[in-house]
Amino acid sequence: MKATTVVKNFLFDNTNFNEKKSFHDRIMELAEAYETIPEDVYEAFEELTEYEMWEIIRKMAVEGKKRTSIQ
């Protein structure tokens, strides 16, 4: 599975989109959470380019907008 997909899926499954926290902060927490996240997610995070990281953040923002506008 592609690194961006692994990281994106993990973040989408483990993010509370109602919480007021930046998506950039959430993705950066992965760098510090190597002991508490699955090894494949951490390895995928390490492979991300800066562009891929910002694409994931953009996708999270879009998904967050969808999920919070429904409620």
Side-chain angles (χ1 to χ4, degrees):
M1 193 179 300
K2 194 173 176 184
T4 54
T5 303
V6 171
V7 173
K8 182 180 70 69
N9 289 345
F10 179 81
L11 288 170
F12 273 50
D13 292 344
N14 294 286
T15 296
N16 177 358
F17 286 93
N18 292 314
E19 186 179 294
K20 300 293 181 193
K21 189 174 192 180
S22 82
F23 298 118
H24 180 267
D25 289 345
R26 290 181 183 148
I27 199 168
M28 294 313 297
E29 286 174 354
L30 289 180
E32 300 167 1
Y34 64 92
E35 293 179 346
T36 60
I37 63 174
E39 187 175 334
D40 62 327
V41 175
Y42 184 74
E43 289 173 359
F45 174 77
E46 289 290 305
E47 294 176 20
L48 292 178
T49 65
E50 187 171 349
Y51 175 81
E52 290 170 327
M53 184 176 65
W54 285 106
E55 275 298 299
I56 292 171
I57 292 169
R58 183 189 65 78
K59 289 176 183 178
M60 289 183 69
V62 169
E63 184 66 18
K65 179 95 171 148
K66 286 180 191 175
R67 290 186 187 190
T68 57
S69 66
I70 292 172
Q71 297 175 353

